[in-house]
Amino acid sequence: MAKIHLLDYETINKIAAGEVIESPKSIVKELVENSIDAGADEITVEIKNGGKSLIRITDNGKGIEKDEVEDAFKRHCTSKISTSDDLNSLYTLGFRGEALASIASVSHVELITRTADDSYGTKITLTGGEIVLKEDIGCPVGTIITVT
């Protein structure tokens, strides 16, 4: 019989991704729900090859604060709850903080975001869950997330 051991980080993320990401449509669902929770009233969904080659969601929601962009891709990081008591009064579509981390762990993700308080936005690129680029960028208020 095999010994009990802790799985490595990459394997854990891929298992979590399998729980969250059943198909391209589940990625679209998670990202559109994030846009709605961000207060967007305009959301554009672009897909290529049934979502297997490209998924891009563009919204005019509140955006993500510059100092929170990296945290958005960490497991169990969320703006939607703070304590277990919050679980009894959820008014959002998602709350677990799993979607972006799971999506990024099995794909290439580019996120461009800006809040109304900022004069410029932030662009972050991840491959396999690892940040490969983070820079300032000119962009409108809201978020554009591209998954390939």
Side-chain angles (χ1 to χ4, degrees):
M1 179 171 211
K3 292 189 177 251
I4 296 173
H5 63 280
L6 181 64
L7 295 172
D8 63 84
Y9 184 73
E10 180 182 355
T11 304
I12 291 168
N13 276 342
K14 287 187 178 182
I15 291 169
E19 292 171 355
V20 174
I21 304 166
E22 297 170 0
S23 65
K25 71 179 177 184
S26 58
I27 294 174
V28 172
K29 173 192 168 292
E30 294 285 350
L31 297 178
V32 168
E33 286 178 351
N34 284 350
S35 295
I36 293 167
D37 285 342
D41 60 7
E42 292 182 20
I43 303 169
T44 303
V45 178
E46 301 171 67
I47 61 171
K48 288 187 181 175
N49 191 24
K52 293 178 183 174
S53 301
L54 173 111
I55 296 169
R56 180 178 295 123
I57 310 295
T58 304
D59 72 49
N60 66 342
K62 66 179 181 176
I64 302 170
E65 299 283 341
K66 289 182 181 309
D67 61 346
E68 296 177 355
V69 171
E70 289 184 37
D71 287 343
F73 289 94
K74 293 178 183 173
R75 293 187 67 210
H76 306 298
C77 278
T78 181
S79 63
K80 299 170 185 175
I81 62 171
S82 296
T83 68
S84 61
D85 291 338
D86 295 338
L87 295 172
N88 298 317
S89 58
L90 284 172
Y91 299 101
T92 62
L93 297 172
F95 67 90
R96 296 173 302 152
E98 287 288 322
L100 291 180
S102 294
I103 293 165
S105 73
V106 294
S107 64
H108 178 82
V109 175
E110 177 185 272
L111 179 122
I112 298 171
T113 189
R114 184 180 137 220
T115 66
D117 293 336
D118 292 318
S119 55
Y120 55 89
T122 302
K123 175 181 175 181
I124 188 168
T125 305
L126 299 94
T127 299
E130 299 295 321
I131 297 169
V132 295
L133 173 75
K134 183 179 177 189
E135 63 185 357
D136 296 333
I137 190 168
C139 63
V141 173
T143 301
I144 303 165
I145 186 162
T146 306
V147 180
T148 55

